[in-house]
Structures are given as C-alpha cells and as structure tokens.
Amino acid sequence: MLLFTRPLPKLASSAKAFDAAGLDAVGAATCDIVYVKSERNAISTFLAETRVDVIIVTSVYAVDAAEDAVQSLIEKEVPNSSLPLIIAVGDATAKKLHHALCAIPQQISPLIILTPEIHTSEGILAMPLLNEAKGKQVVIIKGKGGRQLIADGLTAKGASCQSFCVYRTEQLADPIYTKCWKVEDVRGIIATSEAMAMQLIHSQGHAILSLPWLTVSERIAVSLRKCGVTEVFVCHRATDQALIAWVKDNWEY
C-alpha cells in the first residue's frame, strides 16, 4: 500500500487517479485550503496602477485569482496591447490556467503561459527568460508562507516583486484519510509538500521514517533526511499522473 498526501480539496480526485491506475493507495489530507478574498481583490488594485511584465502562479489554488487579474487587465488595456507573460509552476496549474483563460478576446495579445522544465521554485528561477530579470515588475500569486524563494531569487536578479497570498493552508486537527489503513501495510509514502510531510510525521510518529519516501523537490528531500528519513526519492512533477508513472517505473507495485 502507498500513502500519499494532498490538501483536502484535492484528496478525492487524487485517490481516484491512483485507484484507476491500479495502485493500492490511501490518501491523507493534513490540511485544508482557505481563500483570502482581500488579497485577491488587492491584485486588481495593484494591476490598475502598475505595469506588470510577468505573473507567476504557484498552484492550482491560485488560478481563480490569476483569472480575475487577467480579466482586470483586459478591461483596462487598449486593443493590440500585450498581456504579461504568465508562468505556472507545474502542469496542473498550467492546464487549469489555459482552461480558465481560453476565452481571452483576440484583440488582447499575446497570452503566453509557460512552465519551467523542473516544476519547483528553483525551476522557475532557472528559466532562461528570467535570467535578465533586472528592472522587470513581477507579480507572484501564491499561498501564504509558500514559495518565498521565488521572490527572493528574482529580487536578487534585480526584479521588483509583489506577492499576493490569495489562500492559506489550515492544518486539520487530525488528518483525513480516504480509507482505513495500518502503518505496517504501507510500503512507500508520497509527500507533495514539506508542510504536509511534517504534519504526517507529527501525526504518525517515527514509525514512518524508515519507509521509502517520494517527494517533488530536492529541497523537500533534504528536509526529510534531516528528520531522519533514510530513503528519499524525488519526482520533479507533482501531478497524480507523474507520481503514478514514477512509482510504476521505480517501485515494485
């Protein structure tokens, strides 16, 4: 059996994906997503007063706020003007952005949505188009407390960054699981964020540290090793499909 972490809004869909792939897996939600409407509204106010070159969207939970931001730009822009470049941290975020923004009027051009080769904060900073970030105005739409590395890295390159924390993760008093399970049945753990990994360790104790773990960035892997996890692997994409493919290719299931 596999044990994987997801925020509560994504728990059911991920469990369905693992089940459809023929993998015996139990999902664990250690946190819920709470939206911050005031921050969402603040983006439009900022965009009304500031010319922006790049908008970075760090997760699927930031897409609705990004959609509002782009729509507010459309309302103020003149025909044939250019929208900011949009960078999505990963495939799922990019897919949701494309779906949300597919009805952009043709007179507003171009609408470009890119993803980094490696779907992490480090991957965004390594994108060639951000090598010359000096003087660029960047808006980062993200969750509270997350992805600070992006702003720090771009600021170091000379960019001016404005972050809007349009949602926050709220730790659940007790994790919610998709089905009953026992630690002795688990053969591997998939953790898609550092916070959720730490919450899972806190709730289950040291018994799970000896299991093999799969995570989505080397940064998270380093944190897990510091906690005492002895066997950690990295899959650089956090979608259900990518994680399932990695497991099938590398673990014997």
Side-chain angles (χ1 to χ4, degrees):
M1 174 185 285
L2 293 171
L3 174 63
F4 67 87
T5 64
R6 286 296 192 192
L8 187 57
K10 192 170 172 52
L11 185 64
S13 62
S14 291
K16 184 177 180 180
F18 277 84
D19 185 61
L23 295 178
D24 183 15
V26 56
T30 62
C31 64
D32 199 359
I33 301 296
V34 178
Y35 292 97
V36 183
K37 186 176 181 180
S38 59
E39 283 286 285
R40 186 167 168 171
N41 294 336
I43 300 173
S44 296
T45 301
F46 181 82
L47 294 176
E49 301 171 349
T50 309
R51 177 71 183 181
V52 173
D53 301 295
V54 181
I55 296 176
I56 298 175
V57 187
T58 68
S59 81
V60 293
Y61 307 114
V63 168
D64 288 347
E67 180 182 9
D68 285 352
V70 172
Q71 292 295 343
S72 70
L73 284 172
I74 291 170
E75 292 172 3
K76 81 164 191 173
E77 292 284 6
V78 296
N80 301 316
S81 60
S82 296
L83 289 168
L85 169 69
I86 300 175
I87 296 176
V89 72
D91 290 337
T93 303
K95 182 178 180 180
K96 189 171 180 179
L97 278 167
H98 278 291
H99 180 75
L101 303 176
C102 63
I104 293 295
Q106 292 301 307
Q107 66 267 28
I108 303 295
S109 63
L111 175 64
I112 301 174
I113 301 173
L114 301 178
T115 56
E117 183 177 352
I118 298 176
H119 297 174
T120 61
S121 299
E122 293 88 345
I124 288 178
L125 293 174
M127 294 177 77
L129 60 90
L130 293 178
N131 285 340
E132 299 297 329
K134 186 174 182 179
K136 292 187 180 296
Q137 177 67 60
V138 181
V139 162
I140 304 170
I141 306 178
K142 67 187 193 76
K144 185 176 181 181
R147 306 286 184 182
Q148 185 58 40
L149 181 65
I150 298 174
D152 292 344
L154 290 176
T155 299
K157 292 183 179 184
S160 178
C161 296
Q162 181 67 41
S163 296
F164 295 92
C165 301
V166 298
Y167 68 93
R168 69 178 187 272
T169 57
E170 189 171 275
Q171 186 172 349
L172 298 171
D174 296 295
I176 294 174
Y177 300 103
T178 55
K179 59 186 177 183
C180 295
W181 64 287
K182 295 181 294 183
V183 171
E184 53 264 33
D185 293 331
V186 177
R187 297 173 61 191
I189 299 175
I190 301 172
T192 50
S193 84
E194 182 176 354
M196 287 188 287
M198 296 306 128
Q199 290 162 6
L200 188 62
I201 291 171
H202 178 75
S203 68
Q204 295 300 321
H206 290 266
I208 61 175
L209 298 181
S210 61
L211 292 167
W213 287 62
L214 174 64
T215 189
V216 294
S217 78
E218 187 57 39
R219 174 176 47 81
I220 301 174
V222 169
S223 294
L224 287 170
R225 293 185 188 107
K226 288 180 178 178
C227 286
V229 177
T230 56
E231 193 175 6
V232 187
F233 303 90
V234 177
C235 172
H236 289 294
R237 283 170 166 75
T239 63
D240 294 326
Q241 293 72 24
L243 294 167
I244 288 167
W246 192 99
V247 167
K248 288 188 171 183
D249 287 343
N250 296 278
W251 286 347
E252 294 181 4
Y253 289 97

